[in-house]
Amino acid sequence: MTSGGGVRAGNGGSMRPRGFLGAGQWLSRAMSRCVLEPRPPGKRWMVAGLGNPGLPGTRHSVGMAVLGQLARRLGVAESWTRDRHCAADLALAPLGDAQLVLLRPRRLMNANGRSVARAAELFGLTAEEVYLVHDELDKPLGRLALKLGGSARGHNGVRSCISCLNSNVSLPFCCATGSGGPGVPQHLAKASWASLALPQAMPRLRVGIGRPTHPEAVQAHVLGCFSPAEQELLPLLLDRATDLILDHIRERSQGPSLGP
């Protein structure tokens, strides 16, 4: 076992934790700041927030902002630990009988998939047990859509994850609309819910950032910071995104596992 978060290969093969206790024992040694109590058997999910490390506050890194809010909601905001084996920041959190692995890649967006796939391998997860959270140009600011499968739609971070996890990208998805409750703007209240039974397709929470009018402005828009007016919407948006992820995982955790 390496001290920096990796798992040493032996007898020509790599080792990875099996079961909740195995994952806890590995992580407690590999990440000195993370203390994991032994947990009974249950389901495990990963939530990965895509973005560019070192560029917080930009539209392209809104997935990482959602992960930050998720960690605060789950009480593990101070538990992030850098794992050099995955090239990512990791935190573990319980959710009922389930366990969540929160991941923020430390590679550039175009190579995020390498971090996500390596962590999925170490924790014994398949593509449908990995949630991606990422920005979406083709949805207006604040619109949330939770879908299963589909193409990368030009998003290089998603394309990297699909490739590295061998996720099925050709499956359709089913959706229903949830309400945001009192005081929530209409465009923040609408959210698509994914079908639950399509194997090898990653659930993806797409967070709308809006598309600029002129195509040549797209790169500056994506890599730019949210405007002051947009920043006023962010707290509500991050809360709604966190609600969607947690509600969806709770619902899936109650049913049979989709994984092998």
Side-chain angles (χ1 to χ4, degrees):
M1 191 77 64
T2 63
S3 61
V7 177
R8 181 178 292 124
N11 300 324
S14 62
M15 298 176 62
R16 70 182 184 187
R18 300 257 181 203
F20 270 22
L21 185 57
Q25 291 172 339
W26 168 76
L27 202 57
S28 65
R29 297 189 184 100
M31 305 194 304
S32 59
R33 289 166 48 203
C34 182
V35 178
L36 178 66
E37 296 292 335
R39 295 186 55 78
K43 296 183 185 298
R44 183 187 300 133
W45 314 95
M46 181 187 298
V47 185
L50 304 190
N52 282 310
L55 294 174
T58 64
R59 297 179 181 90
H60 214 22
S61 294
V62 72
M64 289 185 170
V66 173
L67 262 286
Q69 178 64 16
L70 184 59
R72 288 188 289 273
R73 179 80 66 85
L74 294 171
V76 295
E78 304 301 321
S79 299
W80 291 104
T81 302
R82 185 176 300 186
D83 183 89
R84 67 175 179 83
H85 199 73
C86 300
D89 294 331
L90 293 172
L92 297 186
L95 185 66
D97 290 334
Q99 181 190 61
L100 299 190
V101 180
L102 309 184
L103 181 141
R104 299 185 302 200
R106 298 194 64 85
R107 291 186 169 98
L108 294 177
M109 177 69 86
N110 293 7
N112 274 188
R114 292 165 58 193
S115 294
V116 176
R118 185 59 178 139
E121 178 187 8
L122 289 171
F123 283 94
L125 300 173
T126 54
E128 68 269 17
E129 295 164 326
V130 176
Y131 284 76
L132 297 185
V133 186
H134 63 89
D135 57 300
E136 175 58 64
L137 271 170
D138 292 327
K139 292 191 176 298
L141 176 67
R143 182 70 62 86
L144 302 171
L146 186 58
K147 65 173 294 183
L148 199 63
S151 69
R153 299 175 63 86
H155 194 295
N156 290 330
V158 174
R159 181 180 294 113
S160 174
C161 292
I162 289 172
S163 174
C164 291
L165 282 134
N166 297 315
S167 176
N168 191 328
V169 300
S170 62
L171 296 173
F173 69 97
C174 301
C175 65
T177 300
S179 69
V184 177
Q186 188 66 22
H187 70 289
L188 289 177
K190 294 183 177 178
S192 299
W193 288 74
S195 169
L196 303 180
L198 300 176
Q200 298 304 316
M202 283 181 292
R204 288 161 43 194
L205 179 59
R206 299 183 296 163
V207 183
I209 61 170
R211 181 181 289 275
T213 305
H214 301 291
E216 61 272 16
V218 167
Q219 183 173 355
H221 175 76
V222 167
L223 297 179
C225 292
F226 288 101
S227 69
E230 291 171 335
Q231 289 176 17
E232 292 183 3
L233 294 174
L234 283 181
L236 180 59
L237 171 62
L238 299 181
D239 272 339
R240 287 285 300 135
T242 298
D243 288 340
L244 280 174
I245 287 283
L246 292 178
D247 288 347
H248 200 263
I249 290 175
R250 288 188 186 102
E251 183 176 346
R252 291 183 69 187
S253 295
Q254 293 172 0
S257 174
L258 298 179

